[in-house]
Amino acid sequence: LESMRNLAERYEGYGGSIRRVMEVRNCVPGIHGVVADLISTTKKYETAIETALGGSIQNIVTDSEETAKRLIEHLKKNRYGRATFLPLSSVRGRVLSAQERQVLRMDGCVGLASELVQYDEKFRPVVENLLGRTVVARDLDAGIAIMRAGRHAFRLVTLEGDVMHSGGSMTGGSVNARSTSILSRQREIDEHRAAAKSLSEKLDALNKRVE
């Protein structure tokens, strides 16, 4: 649990520029956090959602363009690198049309990526901007049929992390095994915390028996 907490607090696995921005989070009002901090999903969908987000999982959500501008200037001044910001005041969601949503009823379709994650309602524009036009399928066979029916007008990811892009191109293959993904950290922290609490209660009960 301590190891996972330290990873989360130090933003391990994130780009150096992202860590630099998050270091000033308490000094600069208007920083809501990185995308990975603001959404959650079940273990079953983590690979698909993280694949769908790609590098966007490290984008930083701010309240306004002014806050984003201030942080960009901070990065420039100190030569900390580059980062992408998503100001709530300007980001707009992109969703499937009513006609396109018909594919969500097809066999093997798991659902729309933006509807498979949990988040605070105020972040809906960000979630729909990043995931509103991404369909999640059970596997590639189902994905091919879904994309054909949708005329390759949107993006699709499978539960294993394969991607079918709008326009027809495909990306897939083996995925490097990782002990933990960025998106799964909070879930694992919660699981470890619950396990630690349970073990602590058992230990207290055993100590009472010993006494």
Side-chain angles (χ1 to χ4, degrees):
L1 177 58
E2 282 303 311
S3 176
M4 292 298 297
R5 279 176 175 162
N6 289 334
L7 284 173
E9 289 172 2
R10 297 197 307 268
Y11 282 88
E12 288 294 328
Y14 289 83
S17 58
I18 310 302
R19 292 199 297 271
R20 293 296 188 178
V21 169
M22 298 313 292
E23 284 174 0
V24 300
R25 183 175 188 173
N26 294 329
C27 307
V28 180
I31 302 176
H32 290 294
V34 293
V35 169
D37 287 341
L38 305 179
I39 66 172
S40 63
T41 190
T42 60
K43 186 175 183 179
K44 179 180 179 181
Y45 304 134
E46 282 173 354
T47 298
I49 297 301
E50 189 154 1
T51 300
L53 287 170
S56 299
I57 199 169
Q58 298 192 29
N59 289 359
I60 300 167
V61 179
T62 62
D63 60 347
S64 66
E65 294 105 315
E66 285 72 25
T67 300
K69 177 186 173 185
R70 183 177 176 185
L71 293 169
I72 288 172
E73 290 173 346
H74 172 68
L75 291 174
K76 283 182 179 178
K77 178 181 178 181
N78 296 284
R79 297 180 179 272
Y80 285 152
R82 299 165 67 87
T84 299
F85 298 89
L86 300 171
L88 290 177
S89 58
S90 62
V91 171
R92 296 292 177 265
R94 299 175 300 127
V95 298
L96 296 182
S97 66
Q99 183 176 355
E100 289 172 332
R101 286 187 67 90
Q102 298 298 314
V103 301
L104 300 179
R105 301 175 183 176
M106 291 181 63
D107 180 52
C109 185
V110 177
L112 195 61
S114 61
E115 296 173 0
L116 297 176
V117 295
Q118 293 75 51
Y119 53 90
D120 188 299
E121 184 62 27
K122 66 183 176 184
F123 300 125
R124 177 176 291 276
V126 167
V127 174
E128 291 187 341
N129 178 272
L130 299 176
L131 300 172
R133 290 189 60 80
T134 300
V135 174
V136 179
R138 182 183 58 225
D139 51 38
L140 272 178
D141 287 332
I144 290 171
I146 292 167
M147 288 297 278
R148 283 177 178 169
R151 298 183 179 180
H152 299 87
F154 44 80
R155 186 174 52 158
L156 180 144
V157 298
T158 68
L159 293 177
E160 291 186 341
D162 300 309
V163 186
M164 300 185 70
H165 307 274
S166 59
S169 61
M170 299 169 66
T171 303
S174 62
V175 179
N176 290 332
R178 291 173 292 177
S179 58
T180 182
S181 70
I182 290 175
L183 194 58
S184 69
R185 279 183 190 168
Q186 190 55 51
R187 174 184 56 78
E188 292 190 34
I189 286 173
D190 291 340
E191 289 175 354
H192 288 311
R193 185 181 290 117
K197 181 180 179 182
S198 176
L199 289 170
S200 179
E201 291 172 351
K202 289 180 181 178
L203 182 60
D204 288 342
L206 288 170
N207 281 330
K208 288 179 181 178
R209 285 181 61 188
V210 171
E211 291 171 6

